Amino acid sequence: MVKNVVFVAPFFLETTLRFVAAAASVPGIRLALISQDPVQMLPAELRGRLSAHRRVKDGLDPDQITVAVQALSREMGPVSRVLGALEELQVPLAVVRRRLDIPGLSVEAARNFRDKSRMKDVLRAAGVPCAKHGLAGTVSEAKKLAAEIGYPMVAKPPAGAGARNTFRVEDAASLDQCLRLTPPSPAQPMLLEEFIVGDEHSFDAVSIGGKPVWHSLTRYYPGPLEVLQNPWIQWCVLLPREVDHPQYNDIRGVAVQALDALGMGTGLSHMEWFRRKDGSIAVSEVGARPPGAQFTTLISYAHDVDFYKSWANLMIHDAFSPPPRAYAAGIAFLRGQGRGRVKGIRGLEQAQKELGHLVVEARLPRQGQAPASSYEGEGWVVLRHPETRVVQEGLRRLVSHVQVELG
Ligand SMILES: Nc1ncnc2c1ncn2[C@@H]1O[C@H](COP(=O)(O)OP(=O)(O)OP(=O)(O)O)[C@@H](O)[C@H]1O
Ligand SMILES: [Mg+2]
């Protein structure tokens, strides 16, 4: 029987549209789209593959999404899936599914993944190693927590993304500064965490009915917060070929425990974790959604599959066949130096000569492009090779050759 599937994509961001297009290609379904952006903004080809569309004023509002899904089910027949890739959508979508009795991640579980303070409470209760933390609704609570947690700390919003408003807090003076900059309130509390010193990684897993059936992982060079604090750093992410290496046995065990405690259902999850100098690990945060920052593209290249389609098929048909991994893959984010718009790129020729054979996809910053505010910079280059160390070294050389000038 043909399934009716509703994809919620408030804004037509490039990555979001890759997921929508992937869903449109899943066999045995009719796909409807709910968006805040007007459907006319969609590429014509993709628009032609949609069976229906509803526009809402606020694409993150569960009430408006509910009404739109009800209207779509009157038009198409019963809806069997409601999905979306955006982090901010996961709780609203769970609320919609609960109201309309549509299978998928529960509201409780979606909240565990969305609220970082609640997440750490759940993880710690389950014995999963993670940073000490506390939620401060007032300035005095923040100071009290600081005394318990100790410096250095990290201050962040409990439902942040893109490391925005995330700060390293060195001492009492920098806590004062941070409290002045983003004063906490009971409605907008501040999450304080013990600062974990170590290497940062991801653990990206496919689960079916709460059971992890496949995983991938990456290493960050360096962690996003350090990238943000140092404007000259061009962030790199390496997806090693040997994800089943014994050095990852510990995170594999801990990740399964963490996903189970949080209530993962069927889907792709993105976990971030640290390895401290002494070898111990700590889980940082987990999203019940596909990773950002082109990770889905990296996973695709490492396995020679379209992982956007694998995700869509998983979400719609609860099915996934683990692909063999033939490559390591990595991404270097090209980040402008200075102020202003993109003026030019230096070092491309040298990089092309040395590393061109490793490049599988690139988005080079365009002259005149507006500067990015995120640690992902203005462009990227994806490398791939059967040997992990070739990709690792390639990334290092790439970011040392290529310089994006702003001005
Ligand atoms: N307890 C911690 N100790 C050390 N570094 C931390 C800690 N918490 C966060 N960070 C750093 O800050 C970054 C952003 O934090 P976090 O992942 O919680 O926020 P986010 O807004 O969800 O980020 P993103 O969307 O970039 O994943 C992390 O990737 C890490 O580099
Ligand atoms: Mg994060």
Side-chain angles (χ1 to χ4, degrees):
M1 212 182 72
V2 174
K3 279 183 184 168
N4 293 317
V5 175
V6 176
F7 202 113
V8 183
F11 316 106
F12 298 154
L13 309 170
E14 195 183 334
T15 310
T16 305
L17 292 187
R18 281 196 76 167
F19 285 110
V20 178
S25 75
V26 170
I29 69 157
R30 270 191 299 261
L31 187 71
L33 183 70
I34 295 177
S35 70
Q36 182 173 328
D37 279 343
V39 73
Q40 293 77 10
M41 270 173 60
L42 272 186
E45 191 268 337
L46 180 53
R47 209 190 320 166
R49 291 156 69 196
L50 299 177
S51 295
H53 173 262
R54 284 291 182 284
R55 189 171 178 195
V56 291
K57 272 214 178 72
D58 179 352
L60 296 173
D61 176 1
D63 296 341
Q64 295 182 35
I65 301 171
T66 303
V67 171
V69 173
Q70 284 170 321
L72 286 167
S73 64
R74 281 194 297 273
E75 182 179 327
M76 307 166 76
V79 168
S80 57
R81 290 288 187 278
V82 175
L83 57 128
L86 219 58
E87 163 78 9
E88 293 84 342
L89 263 178
Q90 300 312 316
V91 174
L93 291 187
V95 169
V96 172
R97 286 191 297 254
R98 182 173 64 187
R99 284 179 186 162
L100 303 180
D101 203 15
I102 295 168
L105 194 72
S106 72
V107 175
E108 284 289 293
R111 289 209 175 109
N112 288 345
F113 284 101
R114 180 75 184 121
D115 175 338
K116 294 177 188 188
S117 177
R118 177 172 157 142
M119 180 190 303
K120 285 207 161 67
D121 288 336
V122 171
L123 292 179
R124 187 151 319 100
V128 172
C130 49
K132 278 187 236 161
H133 81 288
L135 202 56
T138 61
V139 167
S140 65
E141 274 172 27
K143 293 189 172 170
K144 200 166 144 258
L145 272 173
E148 284 165 31
I149 295 171
Y151 295 101
M153 292 189 300
V154 171
K156 57 172 112 163
R164 275 183 293 278
N165 290 320
T166 300
F167 307 100
R168 183 180 161 128
V169 182
E170 291 303 330
D171 48 27
S174 75
L175 178 62
D176 282 338
Q177 199 186 3
C178 192
L179 290 169
R180 272 198 303 273
L181 211 64
T182 51
S185 64
Q188 282 187 310
M190 177 186 277
L191 176 59
L192 290 169
E193 292 182 7
E194 161 197 3
F195 190 93
I196 307 253
V197 180
D199 300 328
E200 199 168 338
H201 305 250
S202 77
F203 184 94
D204 306 289
V206 167
S207 303
I208 298 182
K211 225 178 120 289
V213 295
W214 177 90
H215 72 278
S216 173
L217 45 81
T218 70
R219 163 93 192 261
Y220 299 174
Y221 293 97
L225 188 57
E226 198 178 329
V227 178
L228 274 181
Q229 286 173 333
N230 299 284
W232 64 88
I233 296 181
Q234 306 194 79
W235 189 42
C236 294
V237 176
L238 174 71
L239 195 165
R241 185 175 176 185
E242 305 77 14
V243 296
D244 34 20
H245 193 279
Q247 67 171 311
Y248 301 120
N249 284 351
D250 49 4
I251 185 60
R252 261 192 293 277
V254 163
V256 169
Q257 205 187 338
L259 289 170
D260 184 51
L262 295 169
M264 185 62 196
T266 294
L268 176 59
S269 55
H270 173 60
M271 178 181 300
E272 296 183 311
W273 58 282
F274 297 96
R275 187 176 299 283
R276 297 187 186 86
K277 286 228 159 46
D278 68 3
S280 64
I281 57 176
V283 169
S284 179
E285 61 154 348
V286 199
R289 42 134 184 114
Q294 305 297 329
F295 280 42
T296 308
T297 301
L298 286 186
I299 297 173
S300 297
Y301 280 115
H303 303 88
D304 245 341
V305 294
D306 182 335
F307 212 76
Y308 293 85
K309 287 187 184 170
S310 310
W311 172 79
N313 201 57
L314 168 73
M315 298 305 286
I316 294 168
H317 293 312
D318 299 330
F320 180 79
S321 351
R325 182 191 304 265
Y327 301 95
I331 186 164
F333 290 92
L334 304 179
R335 188 181 193 198
Q337 309 295 307
R339 284 175 186 282
R341 290 180 172 262
V342 174
K343 216 166 77 179
I345 314 179
R346 275 186 297 170
L348 267 187
E349 254 173 53
Q350 180 65 24
Q352 177 63 29
K353 210 165 80 191
E354 241 184 69
L355 308 163
H357 63 291
L358 303 177
V359 176
V360 285
E361 193 173 310
R363 167 68 51 84
L364 297 179
R366 283 170 288 105
Q367 211 170 10
Q369 187 177 325
S373 56
S374 101
Y375 53 82
E376 291 176 38
E378 287 81 15
W380 76 81
V381 179
V382 178
L383 305 183
R384 173 171 91 165
H385 190 273
E387 283 176 65
T388 303
R389 56 167 194 86
V390 173
V391 176
Q392 183 173 4
E393 180 60 11
L395 291 173
R396 199 187 63 72
R397 299 189 76 83
L398 187 79
V399 292
S400 69
H401 287 320
V402 179
Q403 296 294 330
V404 180
E405 287 176 90
L406 305 179

